[in-house]
Amino acid sequence: MLRREPRPKPVGAVHTPQLGELVWDDGPRQRNGVYMGTEGGLLFLRPEGGGIEWTTAPANIRPLARKPGRSTVRREA
């Protein structure tokens, strides 16, 4: 299994995602997730196809380029 070297985090470049935005979690999970909200200073993400949410620090989030035909997930109020 290949091991990725951690990328240096740019200073002062924290991405603020929109609800339903697909983002990359550069924290311990190293996976993409849908941004569901923020509480207590942590961001809540869930797998793109649904599943159990997890939390991560705002500094771990990176925007993902959207693939053609893929829409933002909308959460009903």
Side-chain angles (χ1 to χ4, degrees):
M1 178 177 213
L2 292 176
R3 196 165 177 176
R4 285 202 271 172
E5 294 297 319
R7 296 180 311 192
K9 296 184 195 276
V11 177
V14 175
H15 177 65
T16 305
Q18 300 293 314
L19 282 177
E21 181 180 346
L22 186 63
V23 295
W24 176 257
D25 179 3
D26 207 20
R29 291 191 180 255
Q30 295 283 305
R31 62 185 288 192
N32 62 359
V34 177
Y35 173 68
M36 302 305 291
T38 303
E39 187 174 318
L42 292 174
L43 278 63
F44 283 77
L45 305 175
R46 69 166 175 80
E48 187 176 8
I52 299 172
E53 291 183 344
W54 73 90
T55 58
T56 193
N60 292 338
I61 296 300
R62 304 281 181 265
L64 280 179
R66 184 115 350 240
K67 292 181 182 176
R70 188 182 256 182
S71 63
T72 301
V73 176
R74 304 253 176 189
R75 193 160 100 175
E76 297 296 321

